[in-house]
Structure formats: C-alpha cells, structure tokens
Amino acid sequence: MKSDAAAHKATQRRSARISTARADTGGVTTRPARRGDLEEVIAIDAAVTGIVKRDYWRSIYRRYGDGAQAGRQFLVADLAGRVCGFIIGEVRDWEFGSPPCGWVFAIDVDPEARLSGVGTRLLAAICAGFRRAGVTRVRTMLARDNTLILSFFRSQGMMAAPFIPLEIALEP
Amino acid sequence: MKLQKNTSLALYSVLEFAADPTRHVSAADIAAKYDVSAHHLAKVLAGLARAGIVESVRGAGGGYRFVGNARRLTLFDVIQTFEDPGLHETDHRERGERTPVGQALGAVLSEIDQTTKATFSSITLATMLSLIERQQRACLMPSSPATTAAQTRAAKRAR
Ligand SMILES: CC(C)(COP(=O)(O)OP(=O)(O)OC[C@H]1O[C@@H](n2cnc3c(N)ncnc32)[C@H](O)[C@@H]1OP(=O)(O)O)[C@@H](O)C(=O)NCCC(=O)NCCS
C-alpha cells in the first residue's frame, strides 16, 4: 500500500501534469467565488439541471463563499471576467470513521465552455486548497447513471472509494 | 467479476494498440506477451477490426493499429463487442426468478450489474492508459520509510 507521503507526492505530480497538459484553457483562471458571481453560477446550474435555485445558492455562498471557514471552498473559473464554471467542496472530518478528507460535492461547467480543460482546472484548484488544508485524499459521490461526470472524475485518476452509499425510502 | 477469455484478450490488445496508435503491433508480439495461441488471438483481432476499433496493416511487418478514439471509447464498448456484459435485464425469466426469493435475489444482482455497467462505461481507454502509467510509476517509486520498516518487521517475524 502506498504511504500518505507517497500518495501526496503522486498527487502533486499529477496536478503538475494536469496544469501543464491543457494549453487550450488559456485565459481561464480559478479564484474564490464572490457575491457578484452568484447570478452566473445560478444560470450555469439552471442550464444543467433546469431549475433556478436562488435561495439554495445564496445559502451555499454564505456557507462556502468568500471568507468561509477553513477547509470550505467555493471556486469559480473566470474567462475574461465571465464565470464559466464552478466547484464546491470541503474538508470532512472523521465521517464514518474515515480520517479527514476533501469532499467535492458540486462541479458544473457552462455547456459552451466544456471540453477545453475548465473542469480539470477547477478540480486541480480545489485539490490544491485541500492539500493546503492538510488532507491527502479527495472523494466525491456521483449518480451512477451520469456517465459524463463519472468519466470526467475517472479521467482525473479517481477510482472507487472503499465505501458503498446506501439509501431507503422512508415510509409515511 | 471475471471477463471471458476473448474479452480480456480484446482489452489487452486494444490497450497495447491504443498506447501508441502510430505503431503497428504484430499479433505474434501480443500472443507471446499474453501467452495465448496466435490462432486464438487472430479471431479476437478480427472481431476488433470488424467493430472498427483496429485496422489490419498490410506490408512489411503487418500487424494491427488502433483507429478508434481512445478518449471516448470505453471499456464497456469493447466488452460489448465480445460478450453481453451480464446485466440481467432480460425479458425472459426462469420460473425461479419470478418467485419472491428469485425476485429479491434479482434485485441484489441488479445492484451489482448497475455498478459494473457504470464502471465499465465511464472508463475510457485514455483513462486506462493513464492508470497503467500511474501504476508503473508507483512500482518504480522507492518504498516509503514507513513501508520499509513494516516490511522489515514482517520479514523478521517470518524468520
Ligand atoms: C463533467 C464536467 C465538469 C467536465 O467539464 P469540462 O470542462 O468539459 O472537462 P475537461 O475539459 O477538463 O475534461 C477532462 C476530461 O473529462 C472527460 N470528459 C469530459 N467530458 C466528456 C464527455 N462528454 N465524454 C467523455 N469524457 C468526457 C475526458 O476524459 C476529458 O479529457 P479529454 O478532453 O482529454 O478527453 C462538465 O461536463 C459538466 O459540468 N457536466 C455537468 C456536470 C453535472 O452533471 N453536474 C451536476 C452534478 S454535481
């Protein structure tokens, strides 16, 4: 089994590779989300999910946005002053006995800006933040039938985690 | 989970070809590397050629080369060419499968099938090639001090 130090070095190498591999993302930068980005974030989310969730995004911004608690990140990809994608995550401590790890729970790239490395950049940026927060592992949970997003995370080297999500419908 | 022999062979071959699409790889090389008869491999390669994944190269050296799109072709696509990847989504059910016990067992098997399908259909050949590269790098990396100490202790105990 690889030690955490080795895993950390491998992750560093991978993200170095990620950041140099995609020349076509030229012009895109990643930065923490600002209040003024919210409308664009809401629009991208609505384009992907078909639902405008203004209240939800305001509360997400309060929890994860500008100046949020350490370990929480809400980042956007900025192309010439226009938001073309976002990613949100946080460090979760000792959830189900697992040592602290980074959790990515939302990522969306504007359909017009896809396949040019924006998603890769956002993930590399949030991973850099997790590393600064001292964690050496990143997890996410995806819908089994969302092949697009599964392929994306797989392409970044992610593999199945040693957990199985379970659910039950609550009877009335 | 075990794939049929032809399917595994197809995946080995496709990944060998896709690793360098400009290279013509001879069937004999692959047969030797994976320890299978050239005759058996020829049938598998013909299947891959029919599916438009590889193309045979005539002339000196002969062989095959990859002609698919490694960034979009998934393990599921290749597997599907050779076997029905299980998936108990058939209309025809044995009588036992229609009983309450059979239906409950079917629900569990279908959970497994769906995870299998999601896994195979989200891993492209390009993703596999990166995985191979990472594993090779990990093998080349010197063991960490922690691992080495643990290995030494285990070796001492074994003596
Ligand atoms: C998944 C997503 C974030 C990818 O963003 P992106 O900017 O297009 O990603 P990148 O350009 O960095 O792609 C990186 C790799 O991901 C994989 N990938 C991305 N889109 C893909 C597609 N349509 N098909 C197959 N693989 C794909 C590829 O391996 C790609 O590398 P390649 O371009 O060298 O082939 C974007 O498609 C998206 O926002 N989808 C909707 C997400 C969603 O459903 N969110 C709601 C739940 S949180």
Side-chain angles (χ1 to χ4, degrees):
Chain A
M1 203 184 74
K2 243 197 287 177
S3 71
D4 277 353
H8 179 64
K9 273 194 192 145
T11 315
Q12 273 180 327
R13 264 200 313 276
R14 167 148 192 88
S15 57
R17 203 150 53 94
I18 284 170
S19 54
T20 50
R22 307 294 302 252
D24 44 359
T25 47
V28 173
T29 54
T30 55
R31 58 168 174 78
R34 301 178 196 128
R35 189 169 292 278
D37 298 326
L38 271 189
E39 281 307 315
E40 284 168 291
V41 167
I42 293 167
I44 294 173
D45 172 56
V48 175
T49 64
I51 311 169
V52 179
K53 304 170 217 137
R54 233 172 227 104
D55 291 344
Y56 168 76
W57 284 107
R58 286 201 187 109
S59 81
I60 286 286
Y61 182 76
R62 278 195 296 278
R63 290 190 64 188
Y64 297 90
D66 221 8
Q69 232 175 278
R72 290 187 176 170
Q73 302 185 73
F74 182 171
L75 308 177
V76 295
D78 182 317
L79 179 62
R82 196 179 66 84
V83 172
C84 60
F86 62 85
I87 191 164
I88 313 173
E90 66 187 338
V91 173
R92 293 192 184 167
D93 292 332
W94 303 110
E95 211 171 35
F96 297 104
S98 147
C101 75
W103 256 99
V104 173
F105 67 84
I107 181 167
D108 261 332
V109 172
D110 180 347
E112 305 268 290
R114 288 186 190 168
L115 283 176
S116 58
V118 174
T120 302
R121 282 213 163 194
L122 284 165
L123 186 63
I126 205 166
C127 287
F130 286 142
R131 227 175 277 123
R132 284 194 299 275
V135 295
T136 56
R137 214 160 263 279
V138 176
R139 299 201 170 108
T140 188
M141 187 163 72
L142 307 165
R144 194 166 51 193
D145 57 1
N146 193 338
T147 312
L148 167 59
I149 198 156
L150 272 168
S151 307
F152 166 73
F153 280 107
R154 288 278 189 185
S155 79
Q156 307 297 305
M158 290 182 85
M159 307 279 286
F163 298 94
I164 297 180
L166 298 177
E167 67 170 26
I168 188 168
L170 293 176
E171 290 179 9
Chain B
M1 154 102 231
K2 195 146 172 60
L3 293 170
Q4 288 170 17
K5 189 157 187 200
N6 279 357
T7 314
S8 304
L9 254 181
L11 288 169
Y12 294 150
S13 314
V14 167
L15 286 161
E16 290 283 348
F17 296 130
D20 182 358
T22 58
R23 193 168 53 116
H24 304 165
V25 186
S26 82
D29 287 347
I30 295 185
K33 185 164 177 181
Y34 293 96
D35 196 21
V36 288
S37 78
H39 179 68
H40 187 168
L41 183 67
K43 283 192 191 161
V44 170
L45 295 178
L48 286 171
R50 270 196 306 277
I53 297 172
V54 300
E55 163 179 283
S56 74
V57 180
R58 291 179 205 289
Y64 284 86
R65 90 173 151 227
F66 180 72
V67 289
N69 178 354
R71 286 157 66 181
R72 293 294 170 269
L73 196 71
T74 66
L75 294 183
F76 191 80
D77 298 329
V78 178
I79 293 169
Q80 224 177 193
T81 309
F82 290 86
E83 64 182 88
D84 171 15
L87 315 191
H88 299 73
E89 293 158 358
T90 157
D91 288 340
H92 172 76
R93 301 226 175 263
E94 307 280 321
R95 196 195 291 176
E97 291 177 280
R98 282 183 261 131
T99 64
V101 171
Q103 283 179 1
L105 188 59
V108 174
L109 294 178
S110 140
E111 258 187 32
I112 298 170
D113 285 347
Q114 289 179 39
T115 306
T116 305
K117 185 172 180 203
T119 304
F120 284 143
S121 43
S122 64
I123 301 183
T124 61
L125 297 189
T127 295
M128 278 302 287
L129 293 171
S130 319
L131 175 61
I132 296 165
E133 195 190 305
R134 273 202 317 281
Q135 285 184 337
Q136 279 178 332
R137 262 206 321 265
C139 287
L140 293 175
M141 254 181 359
S143 318
S144 72
T147 319
T148 316
Q151 279 167 347
T152 315
R153 276 197 303 278
K156 273 189 189 152
R157 271 199 306 276
R159 267 189 236 132

